[in-house]
C-alpha cells in the first residue's frame, strides 16, 4: 500500500475511553469525529455533546488545552454515517459487549472507505470473532487496538491481528500510533485480555488473594506495592480505583468466561491459576454498591475533604486510611535485586512474605503463559512497564536477580505447595538457550518459546526516528550517556555528536540544575558549534530538561561573597543566554519533562524549541521567593512588544498581561500545548508526540535551519509599558493582597516583576534594550536574596522539596 496518511479519524462510542481517545487525537492535531447513539430527547448529538463537555472536567486532563474540545466533531449513527467515508481510520470504542459491537459493525460496513483501517478498542474480547461480522473486503483491514486509561498519558497501545489481517495495514497503523500518537506499540496475540491485562489483572487478582492470605489492609498493600516496589505510585488498590472497578470487573469476567481450570480445555483455554480468578468478595461488594472507583469518587478508597478513607468489607463502611508498611521492608526493597528477593523470601514478617509471594506469582504466571500470549518476553515486559507503570517487567527483574537461582526458588515453592498453583515452570526456564544466556533478554533479542529463538526488535521505518528507544535489561542497547563521539565531558555537561554535523549538549548535574559548570559548558558548546558544526541541540536522555538554577551551589557563594558574588554569577548566566540567542548557528532546545525556572529560560533563549508533548514548562522562581533572573522577565517584555508589533495596537500592556501573570503566579504549562498558550513556546516551535523521537527531530530541525541560511536575529530595542503599566498592575496586586489571595511577600515579589517587565519608571512606549532589562532583573533577583521571607522559602524548598507560602 502507499503511505498511510491519516487525514481524519472516526471514534465510535463517546464513553470514557472513546471520548478520551478523541481528545488525544485533537492534542496531536489529528481531525476527529466522535460518534454515539442519537439522543432520545433534545438534539440528536446530545450524548456526544455531554461527553465532550465532561472532558473539560476530568482529572488528569485529557486535553492539552481545554478549549480544543471544540475541535472534536460530533455525530450520531442515525444521521451521520456518511461521514465515515472520509475517515482513514475508524476506532470502535463502545462498551465491552460482543453482541453490541457486532451489530454496530453491520451498521457501519456499507460506509467504510476502500482503504480505511478499522480497529476495535477492546480490553480483551476476541478480535478474530469480532472480525466475523465484517464483509470480506474489510476483514484484511481490521485489527484490535487497545489503549490504556487514561489514553493521553498511558504509553501502551496493544495491536492485535486476526488470521485475515494483512501485515501492511498493521505496520501502517503501528507507524501512526507510534509517531503521531506518541505511544509504545506491542503486538499481542489474540488471546483472552491480550498481554498487559492478562498478566496485569491476573497479577492484581493473585495479589488480592495474597492480601486475604496474609490479612493486610489496602493502604499497607498500596504502600508496599507502589514506588517502593518500582511500580506506579498508586499501588494496587488505588490503581484499580483509577482504572475503574467496573472495567476491572469486565476484564475479570473475560478471564472467567474464556479460560478454564480444566487441563483438557484445550490450547489457549487452560490456565492453572484459574482458581485465583474468582471475583474477590470485596470487589463484588463494591460493584454491587455502585462504588466504581475514581469515576464515582468511592472505591477501595474514598476521599472526604482532606481525609482519605479505605473500605472495610466487614462493616461495609469507610474507615480512616493512611497506615504504612514496616520501614524495614522499604529498606529491603532498596537492595540489589538478588539480595532483595532473598531477603523477602526469608522474611519472618507477613509483609515481607507477601511481597515475595506476589513477585514469585508474577514470575510464575509470566513464564507459564509467555508462549500463548506474546511473541517474546520483551513484549511482556514492555506491556507491564507502559500499561501498568512498572519500572521493570517481571522477566527483567527475574533476570537481574539471577535467572537460575530465582527459578529454583520458585520451583521449591511450587514443590512445597507454597505457590498459588502446582503447574511447573516450563522446561526452557532451566535448560537450553535461556539458561545458557542467563535470562530471556540478550543482545540478539528476547526469548520466543514457540520458535525457540531470541527475537530481535521489529524493524519498521518509524523506529529509525528513535536514536535511543526504550530497551530491556540484558539487551545491551546503546546508551545515550556514552553513544556517539564525545567532544568534551566533565561532571556538569557532555558535548558530543552522532553525525559530525550537529553538536549535542547533555546536562549531567542533579535534576540538570544550572550552575557554573553548566554555564561554562554551554558557552563552550556555542563556540564549538559556530566553528565546526551546523547547529547545537541541547538534549538530555531523561524526563528532565532542567529544573533551573543550582540554588544549593549558589548559597556558599552568597554566604562568602554576599550579593555581589551572586550578581556576578547571574550576569554570567544572562550572558550565556544572550550568546545562545544570538549564535550564528541554530540552537535547538529539545525539551522533555521538566523545564522550570532557568530551564525555561534556557529554552526560550534558544533559536527554536522541539518539545515532547508531556513537558512541563514555566518560570517558578516565585515559589522560592525570587524572580526569574536569567532573562525570563526580559523575554516576557520583548515578546509582548513583538506581539504588539503584529497588531494595530500601540499599547504594549495588554500583550504583557499573560506573561506577567504566568511569572507572578509561577504558572507551569501542564503540556507542551498549554505552555504554548502561556507564551513559553511559539507557534513555530515543534511539539513531538513520542519522547523517543525528540532528539531525531531536533537534530534534523537544526540541520534544516542551517541549510535554509539561518542567521541570528538582529538586536533591537523595543517599547515597554513603563510607569503607567506598573501602576495598573500594582492596583491589581493590591486588590489580590487585600482580598487575601496573595501574601505581603507575594505582593512585594509581584511588584518587582511588574517593574522589570514594564521597564521601570519610564514613559509608556520608551524603547529599551535587553541589556537594560537584564540589569533590572539582576537587581530585583539579588535584592530578594537578603529578604528573610525569601530565605525561608529557599531553605524550605531545599529541605522538603515543597514550596513554603509565607
Amino acid at each position: 500500500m502507499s503511505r498511510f496518511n491519516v487525514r481524519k479519524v472516526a471514534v465510535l462510542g463517546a464513553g470514557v475511553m472513546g471520548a478520551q481517545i478523541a481528545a488525544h487525537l485533537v492534542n496531536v492535531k489529528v481531525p476527529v469525529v466522535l460518534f454515539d447513539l442519537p439522543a432520545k430527547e433534545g438534539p440528536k448529538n446530545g450524548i456526544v455533546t455531554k461527553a465532550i463537555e465532561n472532558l473539560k472536567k476530568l482529572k488528569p486532563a485529557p486535553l492539552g488545552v481545554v478549549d480544543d474540545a471544540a475541535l472534536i466533531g460530533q455525530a450520531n449513527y442515525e444521521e451521520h454515517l456518511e461521514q465515515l467515508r472520509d475517515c482513514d481510520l475508524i476506532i470502535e470504542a463502545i462498551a465491552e459487549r460482543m453482541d453490541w459491537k457486532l451489530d454496530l459493525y453491520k451498521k457501519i460496513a456499507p460506509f467504510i472507505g476502500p482503504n480505511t483501517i478499522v480497529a476495535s478498542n477492546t480490553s480483551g474480547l476476541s478480535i478474530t470473532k469480532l472480525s466475523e461480522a465484517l464483509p470480506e473486503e474489510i476483514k484484511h483491514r481490521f485489527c484490535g487496538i487497545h489503549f490504556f486509561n487514561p489514553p493521553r498519558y498511558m504509553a501502551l497501545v496493544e495491536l492485535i491481528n486476526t488470521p485475515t489481517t494483512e501485515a501492511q495495514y498493521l505496520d501502517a497503523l503501528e507507524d501512526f500510533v507510534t509517531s503521531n500518537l506518541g505511544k509504545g506499540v506491542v503486538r499481542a496475540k489474540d488471546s483472552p485480555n491480550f498481554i498487559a491485562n492478562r498478566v496485569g489483572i491476573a497479577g492484581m487478582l493473585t495479589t488480592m488473594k495474597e492480601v486475604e492470605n496474609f490479612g493486610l489492609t489496602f493502604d499497607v498493600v498500596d504502600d508496599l506495592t507502589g514506588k517502593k516496589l518500582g511500580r506506579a505510585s498508586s499501588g494496587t488498590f488505588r490503581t484499580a480505583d483509577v482504572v475503574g472497578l467496573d472495567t476491572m470487573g469486565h476484564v475479570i469476567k473475560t478471564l472467567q468466561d474464556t479460560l478454564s481450570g480444566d487441563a483438557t480445555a484445550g490450547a489457549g483455554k487452560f490456565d492453572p491459576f484459574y482458581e485465583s480468578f474468582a471475583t474477590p468478595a470485596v470487589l463484588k461488594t463494591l460493584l454491587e454498591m455502585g462504588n466504581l472507583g475514581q469515576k464515582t469518587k468511592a472505591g477501595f478508597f474514598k476521599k472526604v475533604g482532606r481525609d482519605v478513607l479505605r473500605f472495610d468489607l466487614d462493616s461495609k463502611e469507610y474507615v480512616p486510611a493512611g497506615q504504612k508498611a514496616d520501614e524495614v521492608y522499604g529498606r529491603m526493597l532498596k537492595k540489589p535485586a538478588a539480595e532483595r528477593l532473598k531477603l523477602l523470601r526469608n522474611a519472618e514478617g507477613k509483609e515481607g512474605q507477601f511481597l515475595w509471594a506476589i513477585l514469585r506469582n508474577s514470575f510464575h504466571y509470566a513464564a507459564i503463559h509467555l508462549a500463548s500470549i506474546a511473541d517474546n518476553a520483551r513484549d511482556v515486559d514492555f506491556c507491564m512497564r507502559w500499561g501498568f507503570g512498572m519500572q521493570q517487567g517481571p522477566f527483567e527483574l527475574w533476570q537481574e536477580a539471577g535467572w537460575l537461582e530465582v527459578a529454583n526458588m520458585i520451583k521449591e515453592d511450587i514443590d512445597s505447595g507454597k505457590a498459588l498453583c502446582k503447574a511447573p515452570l516450563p522446561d526452557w526456564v532451566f535448560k537450553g538457550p535461556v539458561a545458557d544466556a542467563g535470562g530471556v533478554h540478550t543482545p540478539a533479542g528476547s526469548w520466543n518459546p514457540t520458535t525457540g529463538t531470541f527475537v530481535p526488535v521489529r524493524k519498521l521505518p518509524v523506529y529509525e526516528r528513535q536514536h535511543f528507544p526504550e530497551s530491556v535489561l540484558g539487551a545491551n542497547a546503546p546508551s545515550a550517556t556514552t553513544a556517539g563521539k564525545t567532544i568534551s565531558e566533565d561532571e556538569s555537561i557532555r558535548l558530543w555528536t552522532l553525525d559530525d554535523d550537529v553538536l549535542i549538549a547533555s546536562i549531567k548535574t542533579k535534576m540538570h540544575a544550572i550552575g557554573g559548570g553548566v554555564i561554562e559548558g554551554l558557552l563552550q558548546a556555542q563556540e564549538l558549534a559556530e566553528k565546526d558544526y551546523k547547529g547545537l541541540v541541547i538534549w538530555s536522555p531523561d524526563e528532565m530538561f532542567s529544573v533551573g538554577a543550582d540554588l544549593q551551589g549558589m548559597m556558599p557563594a552568597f554566604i562568602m561573597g554576599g550579593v555581589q558574588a551572586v550578581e556576578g554569577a547571574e550576569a554570567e548566566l544572562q550572558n550565556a543566554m544572550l550568546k545562545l540567542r544570538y549564535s550564528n548557528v541554530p540552537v535547538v532546545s529539545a525539551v522533555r519533562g521538566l523545564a522550570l525556572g532557568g530551564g525555561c529560560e534556557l529554552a526560550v533563549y534558544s533559536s527554536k524549541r522541539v518539545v515532547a508533548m508531556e513537558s512541563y514548562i514555566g518560570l517558578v522562581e516565585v515559589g522560592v521567593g525570587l524572580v526569574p533572573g536569567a532573562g525570563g522577565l526580559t523575554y516576557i517584555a520583548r515578546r509582548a512588544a513583538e506581539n504588539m508589533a503584529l497588531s494595530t495596537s500601540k499599547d504594549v500592556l495588554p500583550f504583557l498581561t499573560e506573561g506577567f501573570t504566568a511569572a507572578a503566579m509561577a504558572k507551569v504549562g501542564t503540556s507542551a500545548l498549554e505552555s504554548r498558550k502561556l507564551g513559553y513556546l511559539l507557534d513555530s516551535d515543534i511539539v513531538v508526540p513520542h519522547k523517543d523521537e525528540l532528539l531525531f527531530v531536533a537534530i534534523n530541525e537544526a540541520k534544516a535551519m542551517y541549510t535554509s541560511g539561518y542567521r541570528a536575529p538582529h538586536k533591537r530595542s523595543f517599547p515597554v509599558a513603563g510607569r503607567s503599566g506598573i501602576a495598573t498592575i500594582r492596583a491589581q496586586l493590591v486588590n489580590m493582597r487585600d482580598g487575601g489571595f496573595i501574601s505581603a511577600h507575594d505582593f512585594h515579589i509581584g511588584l518587582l516583576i511588574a517593574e522589570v517587565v514594564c521597564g521601570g519608571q519610564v514613559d509608556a512606549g520608551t524603547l529599551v534594550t535587553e541589556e537594560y532589562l537584564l540589569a533590572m532583573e539582576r537587581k530585583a533577583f539579588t535584592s530578594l536574596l537578603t529578604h528573610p521571607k525569601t530565605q525561608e522559602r529557599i531553605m524550605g524548598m531545599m529541605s522538603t522539596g515543597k514550596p513554603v507560602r509565607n
Side-chain angles (χ1 to χ4, degrees), residues 340-636:
R340 184 191 325 157
L341 295 191
K342 286 178 186 175
L343 286 170
L344 293 175
R345 187 171 186 246
N346 297 322
E348 295 182 2
K350 60 184 180 181
E351 292 174 12
Q353 294 170 15
F354 161 78
L355 284 170
W356 162 249
I358 63 171
L359 290 172
R360 176 201 63 216
N361 295 341
S362 70
F363 302 151
H364 191 184
Y365 194 86
I368 282 178
H369 293 292
L370 174 58
S372 64
I373 64 174
D375 178 63
N376 60 76
R378 178 181 54 250
D379 287 349
V380 173
D381 282 343
F382 276 162
C383 276
M384 301 316 294
R385 276 207 226 162
W386 297 338
F388 280 80
M390 295 183 179
Q391 290 178 8
Q392 289 181 304
F395 288 118
E396 286 182 286
L397 176 56
W398 182 350
Q399 183 164 331
E400 184 184 9
W403 184 263
L404 286 177
E405 192 165 6
V406 173
N408 285 319
M409 288 160 61
I410 299 168
K411 182 179 185 301
E412 288 172 14
D413 280 10
I414 295 170
D415 293 344
S416 63
K418 293 179 181 178
L420 281 185
C421 85
K422 299 177 181 178
L425 289 170
D427 288 343
W428 57 260
V429 169
F430 296 99
K431 55 189 178 183
V434 170
D436 294 342
V440 291
H441 302 308
T442 71
S446 294
W447 181 247
N448 179 332
T450 303
T451 61
T453 60
F454 292 104
V455 179
V457 175
R458 186 165 43 258
K459 299 289 185 185
L460 288 177
V462 68
Y463 295 119
E464 294 174 8
R465 297 168 58 88
Q466 299 180 11
H467 287 303
F468 303 101
E470 282 196 54
S471 186
V472 287
L473 179 86
N476 291 351
S479 169
T481 60
T482 56
K485 181 170 69 177
T486 298
I487 308 301
S488 174
E489 184 171 14
D490 58 25
E491 61 184 9
S492 298
I493 199 166
R494 180 184 181 223
L495 307 182
W496 57 292
T497 181
L498 279 172
D499 58 7
D500 291 325
D501 280 339
V502 173
L503 186 66
I504 303 167
S506 296
I507 302 173
K508 295 169 54 181
T509 53
K510 183 179 180 181
M511 301 185 78
H512 302 170
I514 301 172
V518 172
I519 296 169
E520 187 177 333
L522 289 173
L523 288 171
Q524 181 189 4
Q526 186 269 333
E527 291 175 7
L528 283 171
E530 279 197 341
K531 179 175 176 286
D532 297 323
Y533 297 91
K534 294 179 179 178
L536 170 63
V537 168
I538 304 170
W539 172 85
S540 298
D542 55 24
E543 299 291 341
M544 200 77 63
F545 182 71
S546 172
V547 295
D550 181 5
L551 287 177
Q552 286 186 321
M554 184 191 301
M555 293 313 292
F558 175 63
I559 293 169
M560 296 188 66
V563 168
Q564 287 184 333
V566 175
E567 187 171 9
E570 281 296 294
E572 288 180 13
L573 182 53
Q574 290 177 343
N575 178 59
M577 296 298 178
L578 290 177
K579 281 272 192 181
L580 294 174
R581 171 166 165 73
Y582 294 106
S583 173
N584 280 324
V585 292
V587 177
V588 177
S589 277
V591 179
R592 170 182 166 192
L594 299 178
L596 306 177
C600 174
E601 289 165 317
L602 179 57
V604 299
Y605 274 81
S606 298
S607 314
K608 195 158 195 174
R609 287 137 296 278
V610 173
V611 187
M613 174 71 74
E614 297 307 326
S615 296
Y616 305 87
I617 306 173
L619 298 170
V620 296
E621 287 85 352
V622 170
V624 288
L626 295 168
V627 299
L633 301 184
T634 301
Y635 167 80
I636 289 170

Side-chain angles (χ1 to χ4, degrees), residues 154-173:
M154 298 303 290
L156 178 64
V157 168
E158 292 174 313
L159 295 184
I160 310 97
N161 66 303
T162 73
T164 55
T165 307
E166 288 187 9
Q168 60 179 333
Y169 291 102
L170 212 61
D171 290 348
L173 188 56

Side-chain angles (χ1 to χ4, degrees), residues 726-789:
I726 296 171
T728 301
I729 295 174
R730 180 189 176 93
Q732 296 169 345
L733 290 171
V734 167
N735 289 336
M736 294 180 70
R737 181 196 62 194
D738 294 348
F741 297 103
I742 61 175
S743 69
H745 194 46
D746 290 328
F747 173 82
H748 175 60
I749 297 169
L751 196 55
L752 286 176
I753 292 173
E755 289 175 352
V756 176
V757 298
C758 291
Q761 297 298 324
V762 298
D763 293 337
T766 298
L767 297 179
V768 301
T769 64
E770 286 175 298
E771 287 80 4
Y772 168 82
L773 289 180
L774 288 170
M776 291 186 69
E777 267 193 59
R778 290 198 304 275
K779 183 178 178 182
F781 183 91
T782 53
S783 73
L784 285 166
L785 281 174
T786 59
H787 199 295
K789 293 289 187 183

Side-chain angles (χ1 to χ4, degrees), residues 271-285:
D271 193 317
F273 282 78
Y274 188 80
E275 289 183 11
S276 301
F277 296 162
T279 305
V282 62
L283 178 59
K284 186 176 181 182
T285 300

